Amino acid sequence: MKVEKIIAPSLLSADFSDLKNEIKSLGNTVEYLHLDIMDGAFVPNITFGPIIINGIVKAAKEFGDFKFDTHLMINNPDNYIKQFALAGSDIITVHAEALTHIDRTISLIKSFDKMAGLALNPATPCNILKYVIRNLDMVLVMSVNPGFGGQSFIEYTLEKIARIRKLADEYNPDLIIQVDGGITTNNIKSIYEAGANLFVAGSSVFKKDDRIKAVKDLNKAIL
Ligand code: DX5
Ligand code: ZN
């Protein structure tokens, strides 16, 4: 799969009282909308669930053909995957640290005809991917400790991204390598050069007044 629109804005940093206009403010600059689901147990914060995702999916229809990229920062994700699939997610990403049977969960996501992503916290080594990488559509490398927007990028994750790129070249060249947390115009180039091809940006998009410019600036910073 080819990733052309490579910034995935995270709605976590958007104004939740005006989500429709927040999505509209992106113009046609993006393909992926990143949706951060937190349960107050896997991470120390609570956000929203499938009902709100379904509202976002309906609200966004007017403004483009988005891919809804659902990042589940929750324990026992198997219990909720069906609901997130039915809500309209296109990609469902689960955390390796929240799972006992990673292979089974990936199959469950695919049984709903959704793209399957596996997320790794900053401290989680990438060797866990060695066998399962061929069954994944995406790996999400967390470059902050999950739970909050607006944190600083953890530099050592660049090495992990590069290692995952090597694994992907060997076992799954179409794999999307997504990086999430602390991405700015100052560091996106080094993240791209390490091997990532989809970049989550919360504050770097929604905390700026001009969102179209914010996305374009991130794109330009890679060149
Ligand atoms: C953090 C979330 C991120 C967050 C990124 O746990 O997974 O998607 O919204 O926000 P920024 O880009 O501000 O670090
Ligand atoms: Zn996220």
Side-chain angles (χ1 to χ4, degrees):
M1 174 180 175
K2 214 167 149 224
V3 177
E4 276 164 349
K5 291 183 172 172
I6 52 173
I7 307 299
S10 164
L11 287 178
L12 189 62
S13 295
D15 176 356
F16 272 75
S17 70
D18 196 14
L19 278 180
K20 206 165 181 172
N21 280 314
E22 292 290 74
I23 295 166
K24 187 179 178 188
S25 74
L26 298 166
N28 69 352
T29 55
V30 303
E31 179 176 5
Y32 295 87
L33 283 180
H34 186 81
L35 307 167
D36 286 303
I37 313 306
M38 305 184 189
D39 66 353
F42 180 71
V43 287
N45 196 6
I46 298 176
T47 56
F48 51 91
I51 295 174
I52 303 286
I53 291 198
N54 193 243
I56 291 169
V57 169
K58 286 181 178 154
K61 256 197 193 115
E62 231 180 280
F63 308 116
D65 192 12
F66 295 102
K67 283 200 170 69
F68 298 93
D69 165 28
T70 297
H71 176 193
L72 296 181
M73 287 162 274
I74 64 174
N75 286 330
N76 305 313
D78 291 20
N79 297 345
Y80 304 96
I81 282 166
K82 184 174 181 182
Q83 287 184 56
F84 284 104
L86 294 177
S89 306
D90 294 292
I91 307 176
I92 298 179
T93 298
V94 288
H95 266 263
E97 304 82 3
L99 294 172
T100 310
H101 303 289
I102 293 175
D103 184 273
R104 179 183 288 154
T105 303
I106 291 165
S107 299
L108 181 63
I109 296 170
K110 291 190 159 181
S111 74
F112 295 103
D113 214 16
K114 303 297 177 183
M115 290 168 73
L118 187 66
L120 304 180
N121 281 335
T124 303
C126 59
N127 54 8
I128 198 166
L129 295 171
K130 176 157 183 194
Y131 297 108
V132 85
I133 195 167
R134 60 198 97 207
N135 295 341
L136 288 168
D137 297 293
M138 185 169 92
V139 168
L140 190 173
V141 181
M142 284 307 305
S143 44
V144 298
N145 289 296
F148 304 94
Q151 303 181 79
S152 299
F153 184 86
I154 298 173
E155 289 293 323
Y156 66 66
T157 60
L158 288 173
E159 180 187 326
K160 186 156 60 169
I161 296 161
R163 284 175 185 248
I164 295 170
R165 169 51 61 202
K166 277 199 182 139
L167 275 176
D169 287 347
E170 190 171 352
Y171 297 109
N172 184 355
D174 291 333
L175 183 80
I176 299 173
I177 301 180
Q178 182 181 58
V179 178
D180 184 5
I183 296 182
T184 66
T185 51
N186 294 326
N187 60 23
I188 193 166
K189 188 172 180 145
S190 56
I191 303 165
Y192 171 79
E193 284 173 349
N197 52 7
L198 187 58
F199 306 83
V200 176
S203 332
S204 295
V205 172
F206 286 109
K207 297 296 180 207
K208 308 274 176 178
D209 290 333
D210 184 340
R211 279 66 184 281
I212 293 178
K213 182 175 180 298
V215 172
K216 285 187 176 160
D217 285 348
L218 285 163
N219 276 306
K220 265 191 236 154
I222 292 176
L223 300 174

